[in-house]
Amino acid sequence: MKRRYQFILLGGVFLSLSACKEEEATPAPDPVIQQAANPDRGREHFDTCATCHGEDGQGNRDMGAPSLVNMAPWSVEAQLIKFRSGLRGRHADDAWGAQMADMAETLEDAQAITDVVAYIDSLPDEMPEQTLTGNNATGERYYHMICGACHGPGGQGTEAMQAPALIGVDDWYLERQYQNFAAKIRGYHIEDKAGRQMGMMSHSLPDEQTLNDILVFLQAPETKVVPE
């Protein structure tokens, strides 16, 4: 089994609001009898994704597109469904999310999502570069006090709690998602239970530097090693 660095998205979840009014959500993929995941078909769908996320899924910060290759398949699938259905990416202040939501709508059904997720899972892992500075020890202490109960002791994620992995995710992306949760730009939709829960937790840290400390801890070499 391939070693997998799973992903969190601290996140993501956005819906277009105009004067604090939610728009009607785009329908979720139609329930159909799905075939087994087909990475080859998924490669065709990924051509659209590669425009921002890169041919190897390594991400592109200038385009606001995080690396995808370390994300857990269940988390990637969940976020694509949220983007496609309008639970994420449609807040008026979320320009990056709106772009992703538009792209997710090009996936015509649940089978297309399954296939593209399978292709992403086949791409080689590559840990992102650290872009933030902070205190590793402080970050470790706060992480275990506040984040670890859901996201796991080493940030590897807990599918049963719908808490994606944090290790292997670009630190700049995690920082942005945490800020989006705090500002209710993400986790705004009433049907996004996991996003709303993270929104409540986003006010648990005392300041921005503590967030950076946590993200530095998650980038530490000893934290990155996840059991298979």
Side-chain angles (χ1 to χ4, degrees):
M1 179 181 295
K2 156 181 163 181
R3 179 180 297 276
R4 168 98 357 228
Y5 294 95
Q6 299 176 337
F7 158 80
I8 195 186
L9 288 161
L10 265 170
V13 187
F14 324 121
L15 193 323
S16 284
L17 297 182
S18 176
C20 300
K21 181 178 180 181
E22 295 179 354
E23 292 182 355
E24 187 173 328
T26 301
D30 297 331
V32 296
I33 298 175
Q34 289 182 243
Q35 303 173 12
N38 186 323
D40 292 331
R41 287 197 302 262
R43 176 66 182 89
E44 298 176 9
H45 292 299
F46 190 77
D47 285 342
T48 302
C49 311
T51 304
C52 295
H53 293 280
E55 290 294 331
D56 297 319
Q58 72 274 17
N60 184 336
R61 185 177 185 180
D62 290 339
M63 302 197 67
S67 172
L68 302 175
V69 296
N70 299 320
M71 298 184 182
W74 68 264
S75 180
V76 177
E77 180 176 20
Q79 297 311 310
L80 283 174
I81 291 172
K82 287 182 179 183
F83 276 123
R84 190 182 184 279
S85 64
L87 270 66
R88 180 181 175 184
R90 294 303 185 190
H91 189 284
D93 295 328
D94 184 22
W96 295 119
Q99 179 175 302
M100 183 61 212
D102 289 343
M103 300 304 287
E105 289 181 4
T106 68
L107 298 171
E108 64 271 19
D109 54 26
Q111 185 67 53
I113 292 176
T114 296
D115 292 343
V116 76
V117 169
Y119 176 73
I120 292 170
D121 191 41
S122 74
L123 296 171
D125 293 336
E126 181 180 346
M127 293 302 295
E129 295 182 3
Q130 180 175 328
T131 68
L132 301 174
T133 58
N135 186 300
N136 190 322
T138 300
E140 181 176 12
R141 184 170 69 253
Y142 271 95
Y143 176 83
H144 290 303
M145 283 193 305
I146 296 172
C147 314
C150 292
H151 293 284
Q156 65 269 49
T158 308
E159 182 176 1
M161 301 187 71
Q162 291 297 291
L166 302 176
I167 53 173
V169 186
D170 296 276
D171 54 9
W172 59 264
Y173 180 74
L174 293 179
E175 179 184 40
R176 189 176 80 202
Q177 294 311 305
Y178 185 92
Q179 292 168 348
N180 283 349
F181 278 122
K184 297 184 179 180
I185 294 173
R186 182 177 171 182
Y188 58 83
H189 198 285
I190 192 170
E191 294 181 16
D192 181 21
K193 295 180 180 179
R196 289 167 69 85
Q197 180 177 345
M198 185 60 213
M200 292 186 288
M201 294 302 296
S202 66
H203 299 285
S204 302
L205 302 181
D207 50 41
E208 183 176 347
Q209 184 56 55
T210 303
L211 173 61
N212 287 0
D213 292 341
I214 290 174
L215 297 177
V216 167
F217 162 68
L218 291 168
Q219 290 279 2
E222 61 271 20
T223 312
K224 293 177 183 176
V225 179
V226 180
E228 295 185 13

